[in-house]
C-alpha cells in the first residue's frame, strides 16, 4: 500500500515471512508508483515495465536484460512493527536500531477491552492536531455533549507537565465536575466525578489513560484503582503541510457502560476534525496576525520547547 | 454569520438591542472562526475554548481565568444598517462617522413594489462585474431574449456621464427600439419604446432607475412620469481576487406585467455570470495581451479615473 | 470550437466555403472567448458586445460605430486540413507553407477498414504520453490482457531506430511470442506469432503499422504481406504543462477478428491513461530524484536528441 509521509511517497508490503518492507513508492525508471504493481515473492514488480525490487530497494530484475541495473536502487526504510503499529525510521538507517519504539502493550492486555476507531484523513497541518490533543479545556466546548462538563473547573484543573527528551508527560486532575454524559449511565459513578488523565506525547503518537471515580478528596497517589478507566492512542502521520493521517484506537477497563466504543470515539473525533479544518481554512486569511496564549497552554508551550530542542543542531 | 471581504474574514452578529456587531472572524487564541461559536447576550463565544468577546472585539471571559486576557482584542468595524443593507467601514474608524452611506429609500417607498433576487456567488474578480454593470451595449447580446433589442441603437444611445468624488452618475437614452421581450406583454407600451436609464455607481454599489415609455421625441426633461419604471440595486462585495459576492434587488412602479420579479432578475443575472466567469477563466491564458476599448466605454473610462483618484495618496 | 493549445486558447470554425479558420479565442475588447459567440457568415461574433471578426482575425463590425476599430486585430493561424486532421502552424506564418504536413492517406485506403477511437483528455504532461508511445516493453505489463505476451522476448526485441530532421522512425521485430489475446481468435495465426511494428514519431503525431504473422524465421525484407495488419495514429496536443488532448484512430487490413475496433482501442488506451496520470501525480513529490534508463530506452533517447536539436537556435 501507498502512504505519503511528509511529502515522501512510501510503499509498504509484507514479505513472505510476514515482515514489512518499506521503500520509495516510485520505480526509478519512470516514477510510476510501485504500489500499483504486483508482489512477486519477497519483491515488488513495477506495473509499467516490470522492473522488480527486493525489500532493500535494490532492482533484481529488468525484462530483456541479463543483469538488473545496479544503479536502480531505491531508498528503503528501517521498519518495526509493534502493538499493531508499523513504524519507519526516516533518519539515518544506522541510527534506527537505537531509537525507542513505543510499546502499546496495554492494547493486548486481556483485562482490557480494546476498541478500534480506524483512521481519519484530516485536511489540516499535523501541529493543529497535536496541540488539540495536548489541550484539556476544549472538552467543555467542542465535546460539550460527550466528554464536556463545567468549563471553569475543566480549565482550572490541576496539571503537572513533565518534559522528557522526546516529548512530554502530563497529569491532569479535573476535580468534582458534573458527570459528563459519556459516563452518566454508569452505576460505578454518581452525579459528580473526579477525572484523572495521564498522557504521553511524542512526535507522531499521543497516548492517554483516563481514570474516572466518584468525586472525592483523595490525591492521585492515595486513591486505588478507579472503577471506570479508558486508554487510547492517537497516531499523527503528516502527509503534506496541509493534510494529516490520524489513527485512533483504545481499550477500556471495568466500564459498565457501552458508550466507550470505536464508533462513539469516531463521533467525538469528528467534532475535532470540524474545528481543525476550519482553522486550517481560516489560516489562509489570518495567518501571521497576533496570537494570545492562555494559562492553560502550559502543556503546549512545553511541547513546543521539546520540539525546538529536537530540531536544534546537535553537538558532535 | 461569516463573510470574507477583501481576504478579511469578518463575523457579523446582532446585539441584544438589534444593532449589528462586526469584528475579525477568528479567536486570537487559535484562529478558530468565531462565527462557528455561540452568542451569549451581547457577546460571541468561541466554540473551541470558550473565549468570549464583546461587540467591540475585547475578550470578556476566558474559562478558568479570573481575568480575561486584555491582549485578546480583535479588530472591530464601524457598522451602519440602512435600507436593508449592512455597511462596514474598513478604513480608520475615526473617519467612519463622516462617510456618506447610500440610502435606498425607494426600496421602502409604498408606491413601489419591491422584489428581491438575493445573492450570487461569483467566481470572478469584482471589477469584471462593476464594469459589466456600467456597460449598456451588452444588453443586446448577453440579454438578447429579455432586455435586448436593436444592437446598433443600443450601442449608439445618448449617454451623459457625470463623475463625482466617489463615483459616476450616468444617464442613457436608448431611443425608438423594438420593445424588449421583458416589456412586450405590457398594455402601457406599444411595438417600439424609448428606454431611459439613470445610474449611480460608487465602490460596492450600483443603483439604476429605468423608465420605459412608448417611443416619442420628448427629451428627458420634457417627459412626465414614464408608465413603466424599475429601480434596482447591485451590491458588489469582493471576497478574494477571484471571487465576489453579488447582492441584488429592486422595486417596480406601475408595471402591469409580472415579468419584473426577483426570479426573472435572477435568470438575467445568471446570463452575466456565465460571461464573467468565462472571462475570468480565459484571463489565466490571455491576461496582458492588448485590449481595445470602444466608443461605448466612456462610462467605464470615467469610472476608472475616479478609482485612480480615490486610490491616490492624499495631501495632508 | 475552443481548444487551448500550449496555454494558448484558439477558436476554430468553418467558413462558408468549408475551410477552417483559427484565431485567438478572446475578443480583444474584454477577453470574452469568441468560441461562446455566434457565426455570422464567414465571421464570428462576440457574445458579449457583438464585435465581429473575419477569418483573418480583423474586426469587421462594432455595434453603434461607423467603422470597426482597426486596432481590434487578433492573431490568426495558418490552417491545413488533411486526412481528417486539422493542423495549425504556431510559428511565423511566412514559414507555414513550407512546413511538411503528414498525410494519413492510408486512413482512406479502401482496402483498409478504418476505426475511430476519438479523444481522451489526459491529466498529464504530453511528454509522458510521447515517450509511452515510443516504448515497446510496457505492452507486457500495462496491456498484459490485450497486447501483452512474454515480457523478456518483448523487451529483447530487435529494434532499429532511424532519426530524421523532425522525428524518428523505428522498426521493431518481436519474434516468436505466445499470441497476444487481441489476435488469439484469428484463424490466420497460430499459437505463436512474429509481430513487426514500424512507427513514425514527429512532434504531435505518432503513427504505426503493425504486421502479425505465424512465427517463422523470415526477415523483414524476405516476408511478403502479413495476414493481420493494423495501422493507427495518435495525435498528441499539449493543452497546458499538466494536461494533454489525445486523439486516436486507425485502420485494419485482412483482420478476421472483430477485436481491433475503436472501442477496444479505447479500453487499451485507458490502461495507459491510468499509468500516465499516476506518474504525473507522483511527480509532485519525486520529481528531481535520480532516474535510471534501460537498454530498451534507445528510441526514447534518440527522440530526445531530435527534440534538443529542433529547439536549438538555428544559424542564419
Amino acid at each position: 500500500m501507498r502512504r505519503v509521509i511528509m511529502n515522501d511517497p512510501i510503499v509498504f508490503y509484507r514479505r513472505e515471512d510476514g515482515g514489512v518492507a518499506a521503500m520509495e513508492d516510485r520505480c526509478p525508471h519512470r516514477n510510476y508508483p510501485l504500489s500499483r504493481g504486483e508482489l512477486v515473492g519477497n519483491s515488488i514488480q513495477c506495473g509499467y515495465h516490470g522492473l522488480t525490487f527486493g525489500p532493500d530497494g535494490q532492482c533484481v530484475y529488468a525484462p530483456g536484460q541479463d543483469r538488473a541495473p545496479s544503479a536502480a536502487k531505491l531508498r528503503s526504510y528501517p521498519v518495526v512493527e509493534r502493538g499493531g503499529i508499523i513504524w519507519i525510521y526516516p533518519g539515518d538507517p544506522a541510527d534506527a536500531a537505537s531509537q525507542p519504539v513505543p510499546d502499546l502493550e496495554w492494547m493486548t492486555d486481556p483485562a482490557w477491552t480494546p476498541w478500534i476507531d480506524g483512521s481519519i484523513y484530516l485536511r489540516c497541518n499535523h501541529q493543529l492536531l497535536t496541540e488539540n490533543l495536548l489541550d484539556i479545556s476544549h472538552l467543555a466546548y467542542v465535546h460539550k455533549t460527550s466528554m464536556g462538563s463545567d468549563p471553569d473547573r475543566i480549565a482550572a484543573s490541576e496539571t503537572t507537565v513533565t518534559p522528557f527528551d522526546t516529548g512530554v508527560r502530563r497529569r491532569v486532575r479535573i476535580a468534582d465536575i458534573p458527570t459528563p454524559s459519556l459516563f452518566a449511565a454508569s452505576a460505578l459513578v454518581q452525579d459528580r466525578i473526579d477525572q484523572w488523565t495521564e498522557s504521553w506525547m511524542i512526535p507522531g503518537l499521543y497516548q492517554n489513560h483516563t481514570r474516572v471515580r466518584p468525586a472525592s478528596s483523595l490525591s492521585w497517589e492515595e486513591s486505588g484503582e478507579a472503577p471506570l478507566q479508558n486508554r487510547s492512542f492517537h497516531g499523527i502521520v503528516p502527509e503534506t503541510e496541509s493534510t494529516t493521517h490520524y489513527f485512533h484506537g483504545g481499550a477500556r477497563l471495568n466500564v459498565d457502560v457501552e458508550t466507550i466504543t470505536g464508533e462513539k470515539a469516531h463521533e467525538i473525533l469528528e467534532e475535532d476534525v470540524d474545528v481543525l479544518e476550519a482553522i486550517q481554512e481560516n489560516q489562509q486569511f489570518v495567518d501571521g496576525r497576533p496570537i494570545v496564549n492562555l494559562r492553560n497552554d502550559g502543556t503546549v508551550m512545553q511541547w513546543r520547547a521539546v520540539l525546538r530542542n529536537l530540531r536544534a543542531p546537535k553537538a558532535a
Side-chain angles (χ1 to χ4, degrees), chain A residues 3 117-121 245-248 266:
Chain A
R3 183 78 67 200
D117 171 11
S119 76
I120 291 180
Y121 186 70
H245 289 286
Y246 182 12
F247 298 90
H248 187 222
H266 194 85

Side-chain angles (χ1 to χ4, degrees), chain A residues 132-133 135-149 154 180-182 234 246 264-276:
Chain A
N132 166 280
L133 288 165
D135 164 79
I136 286 289
S137 64
H138 79 279
L139 298 185
Y141 294 94
V142 177
H143 308 302
K144 190 186 293 190
T145 59
S146 53
M147 302 191 292
S149 184
I154 290 178
S181 70
L182 193 60
H234 302 251
Y246 182 12
K264 181 64 187 174
H266 194 85
E267 270 175 41
I268 294 174
L269 258 59
E270 288 289 358
E271 295 169 342
D272 290 307
V273 169
D274 279 353
V275 167
L276 300 176

Side-chain angles (χ1 to χ4, degrees), chain A residues 160-170 302-303 305-306:
Chain A
T160 319
V161 185
T162 314
F164 52 95
D165 269 11
T166 59
V168 297
R169 185 166 69 100
R170 180 190 53 187
Q302 299 222 41
W303 166 253
V306 167

Side-chain angles (χ1 to χ4, degrees), chain A residues 4 17-18 28 48 70 77 91 95 136 163 190 198-199 203 205 215 220 223 244 247 255 276 292 301:
Chain A
V4 174
D17 65 4
Y48 197 0
S70 60
Y77 294 86
D95 299 340
I136 286 289
Q190 291 87 42
E198 193 169 10
S199 312
L205 184 70
W220 186 279
S223 61
T244 302
F247 298 90
V255 176
L276 300 176
V292 174
M301 294 303 130

Side-chain angles (χ1 to χ4, degrees), chain A residues 14 26 28 44 91 144 147 162 173-174 188 210 218 256 272 280 284 306-307 309:
Chain A
R14 290 203 178 270
R26 63 164 195 123
I44 188 162
K144 190 186 293 190
M147 302 191 292
T162 314
R173 185 187 179 198
I174 307 174
L188 303 171
T210 293
L218 293 180
D256 64 340
D272 290 307
Q280 178 82 24
Q284 71 178 300
V306 167
L307 281 189
N309 192 47

Side-chain angles (χ1 to χ4, degrees), chain A residues 171-233:
Chain A
R171 287 181 165 186
V172 178
R173 185 187 179 198
I174 307 174
D176 191 19
I177 52 170
T179 303
S181 70
L182 193 60
F183 310 118
S186 171
L188 303 171
V189 295
Q190 291 87 42
D191 284 0
R192 298 184 77 87
I193 59 162
D194 289 347
Q195 179 176 328
W196 300 359
T197 299
E198 193 169 10
S199 312
W200 301 261
M201 176 71 87
I202 58 172
L205 184 70
Y206 175 75
Q207 296 181 68
N208 71 16
H209 184 167
T210 293
R211 296 170 174 88
V212 175
R213 67 177 69 236
S216 80
S217 57
L218 293 180
S219 74
W220 186 279
E221 288 76 16
E222 290 166 337
S223 61
E225 281 298 292
L228 289 173
Q229 296 191 38
N230 186 59
R231 300 191 69 148
S232 63
F233 70 88

